[in-house]
Amino acid sequence: MSIGRVVLADDDVLLREGLASLLERSGYEVVGQAGDPTDLTALVRKHVPDIVVIDIRMPPTHTVEGLDAARVIRQEFPETGILVLSAHVETHQAMELLAGGSGIGYLLKSRVTDVDEFVSTLGRIAKGASVVDPGLVQELVTAHRVDDPLTRLSAREREVLALMAEGRSNSGIARRLFVSEGTVEKHVRSILAKLDLEETQEDHRRVLAVITFLDAH
């Protein structure tokens, strides 16, 4: 049985076919492929997939057509997960996308080379998580400003912050950093306090709060 139904959109046929093959081997059912936003929205309306994988730059102008399509899909099918792929770190587009709520992700295309991580990320998005590529997080975290509140964080807290932004739970962060879950919980409370962010048990809200804060600095 399929673990999820997927529609793929990318004008690079080789990449699209490669993704389709990868996902099908991983247990997903690829119900449609598109090379432009018009075909994409038609396929989504026809199949109502569990998740859509979209290139952020598509014909005709190769600017933000993928993002525009993602907005339409989110409005018409709020339960469908959306993963937007980009060849570059595009901060503004990523923040606008993530503001759309849960079940949304932004990854760099280079991320696809890590097959297991990519498939795992897709599964988390399909289940409602919000996931941000570490490359974007790192760029934001290392962008030094004179009045940057991120300077209040310790090196370990920055590591935890980056993993939070990837959509990982406290237990997931603990496994990655080889520390106890209790230690991670203390770091998270400290981060939220130092950044004046409200603590919440909802992972996607935690991610959105952190990323929104980072985008403003």
Side-chain angles (χ1 to χ4, degrees), residues 102-121:
S102 62
I104 294 181
Y106 176 99
L107 291 182
L108 297 177
K109 286 190 173 181
S110 57
R111 184 82 161 179
V112 180
T113 60
D114 188 338
V115 174
D116 292 338
E117 181 69 16
F118 178 77
V119 172
S120 173
T121 297

Side-chain angles (χ1 to χ4, degrees), residues 164 167-170 200-208:
M164 285 169 60
R168 298 189 182 278
S169 64
N170 286 353
T200 172
Q201 296 300 314
E202 297 181 69
D203 287 343
H204 74 270
R205 288 188 183 278
R206 182 170 74 170
V207 172
L208 291 173

Side-chain angles (χ1 to χ4, degrees), residues 129-173:
S130 294
V131 178
V132 185
D133 194 280
L136 174 66
V137 177
Q138 188 62 33
E139 178 167 298
L140 293 169
V141 170
T142 57
H144 298 295
R145 301 292 176 88
V146 174
D147 59 347
D148 187 357
L150 293 176
T151 57
R152 305 170 190 166
L153 305 184
S154 68
R156 177 61 91 181
E157 287 169 347
R158 287 179 182 237
E159 287 183 283
V160 172
L161 176 63
L163 292 170
M164 285 169 60
E166 287 185 52
R168 298 189 182 278
S169 64
N170 286 353
S171 61
I173 295 172

Side-chain angles (χ1 to χ4, degrees), residues 18-30:
L19 277 174
S21 178
L22 183 159
L23 293 177
E24 287 172 344
R25 290 198 307 271
S26 301
Y28 285 93
E29 179 187 2
V30 178

Side-chain angles (χ1 to χ4, degrees), residues 9-10 36-38 40-41 52-76 82-101 104-107 136:
D10 197 302
D36 62 66
T38 300
L40 167 61
T41 52
V52 180
V53 181
I54 309 173
D55 182 9
I56 200 169
R57 296 185 178 184
M58 298 180 70
T61 68
H62 292 90
T63 54
V64 293
E65 282 84 357
L67 187 64
D68 292 339
R71 291 195 199 95
V72 172
I73 293 168
R74 177 44 52 115
Q75 182 176 5
E76 295 186 16
I82 298 173
L83 171 59
V84 170
L85 297 175
S86 177
H88 309 284
V89 174
E90 300 179 78
T91 306
H92 177 72
Q93 287 86 344
M95 295 309 104
E96 186 175 351
L97 174 71
L98 288 163
I104 294 181
Y106 176 99
L107 291 182
L136 174 66

